[in-house]
Amino acid sequence: MRKAQKQQAEDFIKILGEAHDEIRKAIEKKNISAALSLLADCQDGAIALGNLIEAAEGEGFGTIALLESYCEQVYRIYGELEKGQPIAVGKAYKNLRQMLFKIESSVKNDIRIRTEVVFLPYKASMWDSLESIWKAADEDPDCDAYVIPIPYYDKNPDGSFRELHYEGGEYPKDVPVVWYEDYDFETRRPDMVFIHNPYDECNIVTSVHPFFYSKNLKKFTDKLVYVPYFILGEIDPEDRQALKDIEKFCLVPGVAYADQVIVQSEDMRQAYVNVLTEFMSGQGRSRAYWEKKILGLGSPKVDKVLGTRKENLEIPEEWKKVIQRPDGSWKKVIFYNTTVTALLQHSEQYLVKLRDVLRVFYENRDEVALLWRPHPLMEATIESMRPELGAAYKEIVGAYRRDGWGVYDDSSDMDRAVCLSDGYYGDGSSVVQLFCALNKFVLHQYIEDEMESMNNLMRVIPRAICGRQCDKYVLDFADNYLYKDCGDGELEFVSDIERGRGCNGFEYGEIINRKNDIIIVPNYCEFFLIYNLVEKSIRHIYVDKKLYENNINKPGFHKIIPYGNKIFITKYVCNAVACIDMNTLEITYTNIFDDSEQEWNLFRTVGDCYGYGSLLYIPLMDTNYFIIFDMENCTHEVKQLYENIKIATICGCGDEVYIVEMNGRKLYTLNLSKWKIQDVMDIFLPDGFIQKVSSEEHDIKFIGSIYYKRQLWLMPYARSNMIVRIELGLRCTECGCQHDMSQVLNYTREGGVLWIYTDKGAIKIDMDTLEVVFTDYFQSKSSAKTYWRHKLHYTGTAIEMNELWFPLENYIEYIAGHEQVKDMG
């Protein structure tokens, strides 16, 4: 019996008890007509109660026999009163009360409450987000679970409804589905309703039928539960930028109207709570409300893929023709995922990329099998939001399907494709998290926009692989792996370097060697690391918290200057200089500004500083101030230029310092002895110089500079396509190096050789002959294999790479040849 029905039965019994009291009073007052009327009502009530119980528990249920005896007793009393026979009121009242007590006890103890749960998926391919919950409910003997696929509409560009879809026939055979018009929500009022579509009318591509909007379903159940159909990449719930990125998933109607929201992890729960607390504070929703409402119980999607075995999959025969070789062996399978978000972002360029990807896989079809699975709403999205791409996209899909050299999966069973595949390639998506859960390789697709494609820009990527070279040692800034450069682009893995607390990449900024030690300087991390190459040990030296507690919670050391047997390190925020004694490894700090000069702590130092004798000249970016630091006795002064110059970068020779202003238009020569600007030169950038920076950034052209033989070599800021070389004394500039370099991370000069370390590799420039040699550390299969093997071995997690610095062709080659993950330690 349903909870509401049992409550109704208990209410019936309570009313009967109250009627007995009124019957006794009426008989005692000789009001026989009133007593007869009440007895008739008791008879009708008992019959109605019996019908209710029989409908829920079946004919012959024990409580029904008790009700029949009760009705007989009521009928006997009614007959005696109607005939005018004398009646013992107290005895009759006592008998009715005792019989009613037995009925009440039976209802309470013999009738078990059954829960009615309704699941409302709309796309069959998203059923895995609810399936494990449904299975648990279906196996509960006290629960009635109903799967009711609901219809949905495509939308026109103006938001009006177009075609109606219903996918009830596409669910697994073991899932009994109910036609949505056969279930009366108003009458049945299910105890719980589960949904995985949170958008109501807010989705611009599709819409479930308006009856199934969360705000309407809330009227028919006491508990509406929303489970996302996607999985997000895990984030730090205290990372404000990461929280901003997930706002669109939190601030949706399904989250607002649901009584409970189930998300993938405890960290994601805290992230949702943080976002909702901030945005809903004005609506009377406290943090405690959201903490009670959001539950981090995990995603059923992960339950599904972890519970699916490859040997149990039903593989279509047309798939086998693609996957199986003539000798019966199977190729490795790569899952290609294309998403609506990426399509909307890149439009025509996305189709260019799509054709090129299919070309690459076609050329490698003997090595791997391609399983292309576009987002289920891809075509609907194109029709609604990019109709001009429709014909071209359909032509690409049609040709791929006709040629039959790859698998095209538009079925509702995504988990089959995930479990069958050996690796993932494609756009960022919640599917990535499923591959990570299975410890399978992931390569993120990279799509150049038209400007980048035309002008070969340096590109900024989220994961930088090549750090600073230090006597043939390379630190990977993003993943904290230390390598030895063996030459010819080959790397030998040395060690995994520990992350700092709360960090996720770029914990360290510089490395320098000392005999058998490598000193690793913190950026976001809270300690220096000393790695001993002989003992293979790591020692921590913690930074004084006072140096960074008010500066975005990071030490931010970033520039190393040798002086005698010491090295000095400047900070990104200019409140201190660190000194390391290279004999003892003792670290001391010199405060530049004290607590009474907090406004100075807002200024940043530039990437460069200049040492002349014992004095270190440290410019403050976007100002005309210098910190002049005496490395001999660790004293300092702050000095201002007379000219109103906004400094971007400096370098020097003797007592002359060359200053490039922020906008990259002028070069100034500062005489240190006279502290006077002696020359000003216009910078005319070479034809073809291109730079792309965020609209939030200042107009900064260069972030670093090097002096060599009356030449200045200027390192570009953000994304650009060249380094600029200036011949001093001449009123012109030349292109010093034009190369696909990506973001410049570090650079150093060794005699007449300039080494530039970018997020794609190392560039070696002969500054006399201008010969350029580019080394992509991860272009070769052997280096990539070294990296991947050790990444997996040390992290124990799935490997995610980016196509920007690991080409698709190499990924295919590697997947085709790698052994199972468990064999790669």
Side-chain angles (χ1 to χ4, degrees):
M1 178 177 283
R2 299 279 306 286
K3 181 180 179 180
Q5 292 174 315
K6 187 168 182 177
Q7 183 62 53
Q8 188 179 1
E10 291 172 347
D11 291 343
F12 264 127
I13 293 169
K14 183 179 179 181
I15 292 171
L16 289 174
E18 293 172 352
H20 295 169
D21 292 337
E22 296 301 319
I23 290 170
R24 183 178 63 176
K25 292 177 183 178
I27 295 175
E28 288 173 347
K29 293 180 179 179
K30 307 299 182 181
N31 189 351
I32 302 304
S33 61
L36 291 174
S37 178
L38 287 168
L39 285 166
D41 290 341
C42 287
Q43 183 88 341
D44 293 340
I47 292 171
L49 179 57
N51 291 336
L52 174 66
I53 294 173
E54 185 175 71
E57 303 298 322
E59 189 177 354
F61 190 75
T63 310
I64 296 174
L66 295 175
L67 284 166
E68 290 174 346
S69 298
Y70 172 83
C71 286
E72 291 174 0
Q73 180 69 7
V74 169
Y75 182 76
R76 186 185 62 78
I77 296 173
Y78 185 95
E80 291 176 354
L81 284 176
E82 189 179 40
K83 295 176 182 178
Q85 296 176 358
I87 185 173
V89 179
K91 183 178 180 180
Y93 174 78
K94 182 179 180 180
N95 288 340
L96 289 175
R97 188 177 63 178
Q98 289 177 343
M99 296 185 76
L100 190 61
F101 177 78
K102 291 179 181 180
I103 294 169
E104 182 180 23
S105 178
S106 179
V107 168
K108 181 178 180 180
N109 300 312
D110 298 337
I111 298 179
R112 299 172 64 180
I113 293 179
R114 297 187 63 79
T115 302
E116 185 157 308
V117 183
V118 169
F119 295 85
L120 299 177
Y122 84 111
K123 289 197 68 65
S125 60
M126 298 174 181
W127 168 239
D128 58 354
S129 63
L130 297 175
E131 186 172 26
S132 63
I133 303 175
W134 167 75
K135 284 186 174 180
D138 191 55
E139 292 169 1
D140 185 346
D142 294 325
C143 180
D144 296 316
Y146 298 91
V147 179
I148 307 176
I150 59 179
Y152 66 95
Y153 295 92
D154 292 333
K155 280 188 171 182
N156 293 308
D158 63 1
S160 60
F161 290 169
R162 193 169 68 243
E163 184 179 357
L164 179 69
H165 300 275
Y166 174 74
E167 299 183 0
E170 300 179 26
Y171 286 74
K173 296 176 182 178
D174 63 334
V175 180
V177 301
V178 176
W179 176 248
Y180 62 92
E181 290 184 344
D182 289 345
Y183 188 90
D184 189 335
F185 279 84
E186 188 168 6
T187 300
R188 299 185 69 97
R189 292 198 60 85
D191 300 287
M192 300 177 71
V193 173
F194 284 84
I195 60 173
H196 64 193
N197 183 326
Y199 300 111
D200 288 3
E201 72 277 9
C202 299
N203 192 327
I204 60 177
V205 176
T206 63
S207 171
V208 299
H209 190 288
F211 178 84
F212 298 102
Y213 288 168
S214 58
K215 60 186 174 185
N216 189 57
L217 291 173
K218 190 68 185 70
K219 303 173 185 177
F220 305 112
T221 182
D222 293 329
K223 182 169 284 189
L224 180 64
V225 184
Y226 162 54
V227 184
Y229 64 84
F230 50 81
I231 306 177
L232 302 176
E234 289 295 330
I235 65 171
D236 178 354
E238 302 305 319
D239 184 334
R240 294 196 64 82
Q241 182 56 50
L243 294 181
K244 186 174 182 60
D245 292 341
I246 69 163
E247 285 175 5
K248 58 180 176 290
F249 301 107
C250 306
L251 305 176
V252 290
V255 172
Y257 288 105
D259 299 287
Q260 285 190 333
V261 177
I262 299 175
V263 296
Q264 65 201 53
S265 66
E266 182 57 31
D267 276 351
M268 192 58 67
R269 170 182 177 265
Q270 288 299 327
Y272 267 67
V273 169
N274 289 344
V275 170
L276 291 163
T277 300
E278 178 176 352
F279 278 85
M280 301 294 186
S281 58
Q283 300 181 22
R285 302 298 192 187
S286 66
R287 184 177 188 86
Y289 170 83
W290 296 112
E291 287 181 336
K292 183 178 180 180
K293 179 171 181 171
I294 312 296
L295 306 177
L297 302 180
S299 172
K301 295 175 75 69
V302 176
D303 298 337
K304 178 64 183 293
V305 295
L306 292 178
T308 303
R309 296 290 173 262
K310 193 171 183 177
E311 56 270 20
N312 297 332
L313 297 175
E314 294 184 8
I315 310 300
E317 287 301 320
E318 58 268 28
W319 291 21
K320 291 181 181 179
K321 294 176 183 178
V322 174
I323 298 171
Q324 280 186 323
R325 296 187 178 94
D327 63 1
S329 63
W330 280 40
K331 306 172 190 175
K332 294 297 173 61
V333 179
I334 295 181
F335 182 112
Y336 181 37
N337 183 34
T338 51
T339 67
V340 295
T341 301
L343 173 102
L344 294 175
Q345 179 181 354
H346 298 285
S347 296
E348 292 85 355
Q349 194 66 22
Y350 194 83
L351 300 188
V352 173
K353 175 67 175 181
L354 186 53
R355 292 188 184 96
D356 188 59
V357 168
L358 296 180
R359 175 192 61 78
V360 172
F361 274 104
Y362 177 77
E363 293 172 355
N364 290 275
R365 64 191 182 282
D366 294 334
E367 300 299 323
V368 296
L370 173 63
L371 191 157
W372 179 18
R373 185 179 172 85
H375 190 281
L377 297 177
M378 184 66 85
E379 291 196 11
T381 301
I382 291 174
E383 289 185 30
S384 175
M385 303 183 68
R386 295 291 188 274
E388 69 278 7
L389 304 180
Y393 179 78
K394 289 179 180 178
E395 187 276 328
I396 294 172
V397 173
Y400 175 75
R401 302 187 75 166
R402 284 193 306 273
D403 293 344
W405 56 267
V407 174
Y408 184 82
D409 183 15
D410 58 355
S411 71
S412 59
D413 191 354
M414 182 188 67
D415 303 290
R416 172 180 59 183
V418 172
C419 293
L420 179 64
S421 300
D422 299 279
Y424 175 99
Y425 172 69
D427 304 321
S429 163
S430 62
V431 183
V432 169
Q433 308 308 316
L434 300 181
F435 275 81
C436 290
L438 294 171
N439 235 19
K440 294 183 178 182
F441 300 118
V442 171
L443 181 68
H444 289 275
Q445 177 171 263
Y446 177 78
I447 304 171
E448 292 181 326
D449 64 31
E450 185 177 0
M451 179 67 75
E452 289 173 324
S453 178
M454 290 172 55
N455 297 299
N456 197 27
L457 292 175
M458 300 179 187
R459 293 165 291 184
V460 177
I461 60 173
R463 303 175 71 80
I465 191 60
C466 292
R468 177 181 174 84
Q469 188 182 36
C470 170
D471 284 356
K472 301 302 181 183
Y473 287 92
V474 176
L475 177 65
D476 163 5
F477 284 165
D479 287 306
N480 292 345
Y481 298 130
L482 185 65
Y483 298 92
K484 182 176 181 180
D485 186 346
C486 301
D488 299 325
E490 298 297 325
L491 297 181
E492 175 187 325
F493 182 83
V494 175
S495 180
D496 176 41
I497 302 301
E498 182 178 349
R499 288 195 182 283
R501 183 177 62 251
C503 296
N504 189 27
F506 294 90
E507 285 91 330
Y508 308 102
E510 295 272 352
I511 62 175
I512 190 169
N513 70 319
R514 165 196 176 269
K515 298 179 182 177
N516 292 321
D517 290 322
I518 292 181
I519 303 170
I520 304 174
V521 178
N523 181 32
Y524 284 92
C525 188
E526 68 271 22
F527 45 71
F528 287 82
L529 284 181
I530 313 296
Y531 181 82
N532 188 277
L533 294 165
V534 176
E535 299 176 357
K536 300 185 184 302
S537 61
I538 293 179
R539 173 186 168 195
H540 300 75
I541 303 178
Y542 280 84
V543 179
D544 185 348
K545 287 186 178 180
K546 293 180 180 179
L547 298 181
Y548 65 90
E549 59 186 5
N550 294 321
N551 294 313
I552 324 175
N553 198 30
K554 66 174 182 177
F557 292 102
H558 71 135
K559 191 68 178 178
I560 293 176
I561 304 94
Y563 179 73
N565 64 346
K566 298 179 180 180
I567 59 172
F568 290 85
I569 314 172
T570 61
K571 286 179 85 268
Y572 182 71
V573 178
C574 62
N575 62 339
V577 173
C579 174
I580 302 180
D581 188 312
M582 296 297 279
N583 294 325
T584 64
L585 293 183
E586 178 186 5
I587 302 178
T588 56
Y589 306 97
T590 300
N591 290 328
I592 301 299
F593 302 111
D594 60 30
D595 292 340
S596 65
E597 300 172 295
Q598 284 296 317
E599 68 277 7
W600 287 101
N601 290 334
L602 300 175
F603 291 110
R604 299 172 294 166
T605 60
V606 300
D608 295 301
C609 50
Y610 175 61
Y612 180 49
S614 66
L615 298 181
L616 182 61
Y617 292 83
I618 308 170
L620 302 185
M621 180 180 283
D622 205 15
T623 76
N624 62 344
Y625 284 90
F626 280 81
I627 299 167
I628 304 176
F629 186 86
D630 191 326
M631 294 181 283
E632 191 66 40
N633 54 31
C634 292
T635 59
H636 68 278
E637 65 172 316
V638 178
K639 200 166 184 179
Q640 186 177 16
L641 295 174
Y642 299 117
E643 292 79 7
N644 186 23
I645 300 171
K646 292 188 175 182
I647 304 171
T649 177
I650 70 166
C651 60
C653 178
D655 66 352
E656 288 189 330
V657 170
Y658 301 99
I659 302 172
V660 178
E661 67 176 349
M662 289 289 288
N663 58 21
R665 295 172 184 168
K666 291 187 181 296
L667 172 67
Y668 300 87
T669 303
L670 170 67
N671 183 278
L672 296 178
S673 302
K674 300 177 181 179
W675 198 249
K676 182 179 179 181
I677 297 295
Q678 295 192 148
D679 192 17
V680 181
M681 172 181 170
D682 292 325
I683 298 177
F684 298 99
L685 296 177
D687 292 340
F689 179 89
I690 297 172
Q691 182 183 45
K692 292 181 69 176
V693 297
S694 166
S695 60
E696 297 177 358
E697 300 286 354
H698 296 292
D699 183 19
I700 306 175
K701 284 292 185 294
F702 304 102
I703 198 64
S705 58
I706 286 180
Y707 175 90
Y708 179 70
K709 292 183 177 180
R710 297 292 294 166
Q711 300 172 4
L712 293 187
W713 294 69
L714 305 182
M715 306 301 152
Y717 174 73
R719 290 188 288 178
S720 184
N721 64 335
M722 67 178 69
I723 293 168
V724 172
R725 181 168 62 97
I726 300 178
E727 294 280 358
L728 293 176
L730 301 178
R731 297 292 168 172
C732 66
T733 59
E734 296 182 8
C735 173
C737 171
Q738 184 164 352
H739 200 281
D740 184 10
M741 291 176 294
S742 304
Q743 183 188 20
V744 173
L745 298 175
N746 272 290
Y747 52 90
T748 186
R749 181 173 67 86
E750 298 174 359
V753 176
L754 175 60
W755 288 93
I756 301 167
Y757 301 97
T758 78
D759 49 11
K760 290 200 70 179
I763 301 170
K764 177 184 177 182
I765 304 176
D766 187 312
M767 302 176 77
D768 294 309
T769 66
L770 303 186
E771 179 185 4
V772 178
V773 178
F774 176 74
T775 300
D776 185 342
Y777 285 125
F778 294 92
Q779 185 71 29
S780 70
K781 179 181 177 182
S782 57
S783 287
K785 187 173 182 179
T786 297
Y787 176 78
W788 282 24
R789 285 174 65 90
H790 284 95
K791 184 177 175 75
L792 182 62
H793 178 70
Y794 277 88
T795 65
T797 59
I799 298 168
E800 292 186 58
M801 303 184 76
N802 194 296
E803 186 184 7
L804 183 57
W805 48 273
F806 191 78
L808 175 58
E809 291 87 343
N810 293 80
Y811 180 73
I812 291 173
E813 182 183 12
Y814 189 78
I815 291 293
H818 93 278
E819 300 299 324
Q820 294 297 320
V821 170
K822 64 182 179 181
D823 298 328
M824 290 189 60

